[in-house]
Amino acid sequence: MLNIILLGPPGAGKGTQAARLEKERGMIQLSTGDMLRAAVAAGTPVGLKAKAIMERGELVSDAIVSALIGERLDEATTSGAIFDGFPRTGHQAEALEILLAQRGRTLDHVIELVVDEDALVRRITGRFSCAKCGAPYHDELKLPKVAGTCDICGSHDFKRRPDDNEETVRTRMAEYREKTQPILPYYDARGLVRRVDGMAPVEAVAAEIDAILDS
Ligand code: AP5
């Protein structure tokens, strides 16, 4: 059973690749961003704490996100887990080690998606999704085939993430540089980091990740 981390700044393609791996390999995508957005939508105590922090593009507390991962980790018993957007700080990296060790599991790969920041701002501010089925679209890269109608479910409702405006994206990038990038040497020292060109087309990124997982 593989345990892998997908690491990279906002818009690097972590969610795109994690969702694909879940579909194609039956692995479980553990995205703290998705878990937090679900908590915000449901109005849970965690969601109420996280909402304003996420809208500013800052990081939610280590204790909250580590607890969310702990609650979901046992779902990935045989199929393996993809950590998408977690860990993002040194404390979260330590928490993950403990959570895995408690289950007799270890990390196999930390896959860093290497990307160009300015191109990412364009990627993120242009993205939107179907409000009903979640199918992803983009203003420049992938519009629905029929304007205003979801290709997958036919819905006419679309939504954008409240943190996908340029100002918040810049804060999210800065948070990544200051708090998340510094955890890479910790994994590098253990020989776990594999680097993938995240600016390549989605299929090429997928092929590189598959080659790592099959190696
Ligand atoms: P989170 O949801 O994790 O967002 P993020 O890291 O900012 O990443 P994104 O979801 O924006 O991007 P992605 O890398 O998944 O790219 P995607 O595949 O969507 O976190 C949101 C917030 O929650 C944080 O700011 C924080 O407040 C909080 N949070 C979450 N986890 C936390 C934690 N552990 N600790 C503390 N706080 C936490 O792709 C982006 C776009 O590009 C899409 O349109 C896609 O179609 C397109 N695309 C993808 N790949 C390619 C490609 N190769 N070529 C061209 N286009 C591509």
Side-chain angles (χ1 to χ4, degrees):
M1 178 187 47
L2 288 173
N3 294 294
I4 67 166
I5 295 174
L6 289 183
L7 207 67
K14 305 180 295 291
T16 301
Q17 296 298 331
R20 179 190 69 81
L21 289 170
E22 182 168 83
K23 202 164 142 205
E24 292 178 7
R25 295 186 177 236
M27 297 172 78
I28 304 291
Q29 175 186 9
L30 295 173
S31 158
T32 40
D34 286 349
M35 292 175 205
L36 289 167
R37 279 184 287 279
V40 170
T44 66
V46 162
L48 294 177
K49 274 191 201 155
K51 186 171 185 289
I53 300 171
M54 292 172 78
E55 282 173 5
R56 288 197 301 272
E58 295 166 8
L59 293 188
V60 174
S61 83
D62 291 334
I64 286 181
V65 291
S66 301
L68 288 174
I69 285 286
E71 284 165 19
R72 296 277 311 275
L73 196 47
D74 291 324
E75 287 173 24
T77 45
T78 53
S79 47
I82 312 145
F83 298 97
D84 164 9
F86 180 92
R88 269 173 145 101
T89 66
H91 283 117
Q92 292 179 26
E94 285 165 20
L96 179 60
E97 287 303 311
I98 294 168
L99 287 166
L100 289 172
Q102 284 167 344
R103 292 158 177 82
R105 291 162 58 174
T106 50
L107 269 178
D108 296 284
H109 303 290
V110 176
I111 299 177
E112 183 192 7
L113 297 172
V114 182
V115 282
D116 170 73
E117 271 201 16
D118 287 325
L120 291 193
V121 174
R122 223 181 91 227
R123 261 196 204 174
I124 297 180
T125 51
R127 86 177 150 184
F128 62 100
S129 61
C130 172
K132 194 170 166 209
C133 74
Y137 296 98
H138 193 279
D139 292 328
E140 293 166 40
L141 306 169
K142 190 180 178 237
L143 284 166
K145 291 187 187 112
V146 177
T149 304
C150 175
D151 297 346
I152 308 295
C153 73
S155 165
H156 302 299
D157 287 335
F158 295 90
K159 61 178 183 182
R160 288 178 193 265
R161 275 171 46 176
D163 59 347
D164 275 354
N165 59 81
E166 178 157 359
E167 191 191 344
T168 308
V169 171
R170 295 278 179 201
T171 306
R172 287 159 60 194
M173 303 263 180
E175 289 280 83
Y176 179 79
R177 274 195 306 273
E178 285 164 27
K179 296 175 183 162
T180 307
Q181 242 172 3
I183 67 178
L184 272 163
Y186 165 72
Y187 291 123
D188 248 334
R190 292 164 55 194
L192 290 173
V193 182
R194 307 292 299 268
R195 293 188 165 81
V196 168
D197 176 11
M199 298 313 295
V202 174
E203 300 73 28
V205 176
E208 272 201 67
I209 292 176
D210 284 344
I212 293 168
L213 301 194
D214 294 334
S215 63

